[in-house]
Amino acid sequence: TTTMKLSVAALTLLATSAQAFTTAPSAGRVSTSLNIVPGETSAAEKVEEKYAGAAEVDPAFDKLVKSNFPGAITNRELVTRVTGLLEEKGFTPENTLVATSLCADELARVLEDDFVEIYGQNFNLGGLSGFPFAGNTGWGAMSAHVPDNGYCLTVHGPHVGITKDGLIGKVERSGIALVDSCCGSAIAASNYLAGITDGSASINPKIQQFTDFQQGAVQELILPFGKRLGRAENRMRELPYALYDSQEVMVTDIVNTGKASIKSGLAVLGGIQINTAPDTDDYFHPLRFDYYDSDGNLVENMLPYLR
C-alpha cells in the first residue's frame, strides 16, 4: 500500500472527524420509511432487460482495449457479474443504494448510470479524477440514506480515455469534432508533477485555492508517484493506476472509519474506468471487489469472480 504524505493544508480540506458521524443507537428511532411496496423485477431481470438487443462488441476494438489494459471487461460484463454476485448476498433493486466516487466528467456518468438503472439511486461521493472528496462527512450522510435493513454498493476509481485507433489519454466525445483529453484533471496533475520532477515548474503559492481546491488536492495527492510515472513505458496508461493507488488509500480509510454505519452489508468495487467513443462500449478494469458484513468485517474478496 502506498503511504500518502499529505500537507496540513490538504488534510484540512479533505479530512473530517469520524466522531461527527458516530452511528446513533437504533433503540427508539423513529422510522422514516415510505413503506414503498417492493417491485417484482429482480436485478437479474433488469440486467437482461437493459442489455436486450444491445449491439455485439467489436472484436478488433475489444482486443485493442484489452491489449492496453489487461484484465479489463466491458461495462456490460461488469454490471452482469456484479449484480449477479450481489443478488446472492441479498442486494436487490429495492434495498440497495449505490454510492459512487467517480470523476466529475460526464463520461464517468456512463458506468454510474449503468448501476443506477438496476438499483435506482446514487449518492455521489466523488470529485475531480474520482477522488472521494465528500470524505467522512459524505460517507456518514450516505450511510444514513441506505434503506432500513439494506445494502450499499460503493463504486470508485479514476478514468482514462482510449480512441478507436488506440491513443490513450484521449477520447471521442459526442458533438465534438476533435478528440479530447480524458481525464483532463488527471493529465493536468500529471503535467504539474512532470514539471516538478524535471525542474521546470514555477512556484505557486496559491496551490490550495477554494476556487480550484479539488485540482490542487489532486496535484498534491499524485506527488508520491513522480518516479513511477517518469519511468513508465506509457505515462498515460500508467497514470490512472497511480491515481487508483492514491485513491485506494483514502477510500479504505473512509470505509474503515465508517464501518459502524453499515446496515445489512457493503460491497466496495474499485478499478479503472476506460471511456471509449460514443458508439462503442466502455470498459472497466476491476482491481477490488470486497464484501463487508453488517458488523463491518471484510468477509469475502469477490474480485476473482470478475476476472
Side-chain angles (χ1 to χ4, degrees):
T1 302
T2 305
T3 302
M4 303 304 301
K5 296 181 179 178
L6 305 182
S7 69
V8 174
L11 288 170
T12 301
L13 289 169
L14 297 175
T16 302
S17 172
Q19 296 176 353
F21 278 92
T22 302
T23 305
S26 59
R29 178 179 175 184
V30 177
S31 173
T32 56
S33 171
L34 297 179
N35 296 318
I36 298 174
V37 177
E40 297 180 356
T41 307
S42 69
E45 290 170 330
K46 285 196 171 190
V47 170
E48 184 177 358
E49 180 180 327
K50 172 177 171 59
Y51 294 114
E56 292 296 322
V57 174
D58 179 0
F61 185 67
D62 184 68
K63 182 178 180 180
L64 176 66
V65 172
K66 292 178 178 178
S67 66
N68 283 285
F69 300 98
I73 57 178
T74 65
N75 280 13
R76 188 188 318 181
E77 292 176 283
L78 178 74
V79 172
T80 301
R81 295 182 196 178
V82 166
T83 54
L85 289 165
L86 294 184
E87 198 163 43
E88 296 175 4
K89 302 290 186 185
F91 289 64
T92 71
E94 290 77 28
N95 70 8
T96 302
L97 176 67
V98 177
T100 58
S101 183
L102 305 171
C103 187
D105 193 317
E106 72 274 9
L107 294 183
R109 306 283 75 75
V110 175
L111 178 63
E112 188 173 272
D113 290 345
D114 284 342
F115 280 112
V116 167
E117 284 185 48
I118 308 303
Y119 295 114
Q121 298 287 344
N122 175 64
F123 190 107
N124 181 26
L125 297 166
L128 292 181
S129 288
F131 280 94
F133 286 117
N136 296 322
T137 300
W139 182 269
M142 179 277 295
S143 298
H145 299 175
V146 174
D148 292 340
N149 302 312
Y151 298 82
C152 174
L153 166 60
T154 298
V155 184
H156 74 92
H159 70 130
V160 62
I162 183 170
T163 63
K164 289 183 176 181
D165 58 3
L167 181 60
I168 300 173
K170 298 284 187 179
V171 71
E172 299 90 348
R173 294 179 186 263
S174 180
I176 300 176
L178 297 176
V179 294
D180 190 33
S181 296
C182 179
C183 165
S185 168
I187 293 171
S190 174
N191 292 339
Y192 167 81
L193 180 57
I196 293 176
T197 54
D198 68 19
S200 64
S202 56
I203 296 174
N204 178 12
K206 297 182 178 180
I207 186 172
Q208 296 293 0
Q209 298 183 90
F210 279 107
T211 53
D212 203 17
F213 86 92
Q214 286 195 10
Q215 185 60 26
V218 173
Q219 293 175 176
E220 194 161 342
L221 288 161
I222 202 177
L223 286 176
F225 300 94
K227 287 185 178 180
R228 172 175 165 180
L229 292 174
R231 295 169 179 169
E233 180 181 348
N234 185 318
R235 188 180 182 96
M236 288 297 99
R237 182 168 56 204
E238 186 65 23
L239 178 58
Y241 292 97
L243 287 167
Y244 176 84
D245 287 344
S246 181
Q247 292 172 18
E248 180 67 6
V249 174
M250 294 180 64
V251 169
T252 298
D253 183 67
I254 291 169
V255 169
N256 287 339
T257 299
K259 286 193 300 186
S261 62
I262 295 174
K263 294 183 179 178
S264 292
L266 166 71
V268 180
L269 172 65
I272 311 297
Q273 283 193 87
I274 304 163
N275 298 128
T276 68
D279 59 346
T280 55
D281 282 353
D282 279 356
Y283 287 72
F284 190 83
H285 184 188
L287 299 172
R288 174 186 183 180
F289 191 30
D290 291 333
Y291 177 69
Y292 297 80
D293 64 17
S294 58
D295 294 321
N297 300 310
L298 175 57
V299 295
E300 187 175 3
N301 169 21
M302 300 187 290
L303 184 60
Y305 301 117
L306 299 183
R307 291 174 171 170

